[in-house]
Amino acid sequence: MKIKYFDNEIDKVEKISAGDWIDLRAAETVTLKAGEFKLIPLGIGMKLPRGYEAHVVPRSSTYKHFGVIMTNSTGIIDNSYAGDNDQWFFPAYALRDTTINKNDRICQFRINEVQPPIKFIEVEHLDEVDRGGIGSTGVN
Ligand SMILES: O=c1ccn([C@H]2C[C@H](O)[C@@H](COP(=O)(O)OP(=O)(O)OP(=O)(O)O)O2)c(=O)[nH]1
């Protein structure tokens, strides 16, 4: 997979072992006050294999270490996002005052197959049995 580094000081992306998602690093030191938002550059861009997209999520420890959440919950990197300036970003919302240092590992990604072409057919009724509203199966 082709990868471009927008910053030469961060560590190179490594695949640790089969199956594991791949960690990505902040490409600049970012200081945020509680309630602030910033798109944190991840310092990389990639040409994903044809038919694949990438999904980016925070590391499990990201909130514990940095007090930020990812505002889109999951970042979708489209296959077409592969131009020379198409750097990946982490949209961060701070719930406390925090500093993320350059090169800190803040999120992880994997690639997934893109969904097949979909044709929508409008109908008046759906034929299946109603499943019930959200939460209808209870909590136990
Ligand atoms: O967490 C993310 C999510 C997206 N992207 C990049 C890759 C993606 O291909 C592009 C556009 O993302 P998306 O389609 O989700 O954003 P949008 O809000 O619909 O904007 P656009 O008008 O650019 O499509 O932004 C990131 O770098 N990080």
Side-chain angles (χ1 to χ4, degrees), residues 63-99:
Y63 184 74
K64 182 176 78 170
H65 287 138
F66 306 112
V68 297
I69 56 172
M70 196 172 180
T71 54
N72 50 356
S73 302
T74 301
I76 312 295
I77 311 293
D78 301 296
N79 190 276
S80 58
Y81 194 77
D84 196 42
N85 295 302
D86 287 340
Q87 179 175 194
W88 297 18
F89 286 84
F90 178 99
Y93 179 77
L95 283 100
R96 59 170 168 82
D97 296 1
T98 186
T99 295

Side-chain angles (χ1 to χ4, degrees), residues 120-131:
F120 289 98
I121 303 162
E122 185 175 349
V123 294
E124 286 297 320
H125 301 286
L126 299 173
D127 297 333
E128 307 297 320
V129 175
D130 283 354
R131 158 71 172 62

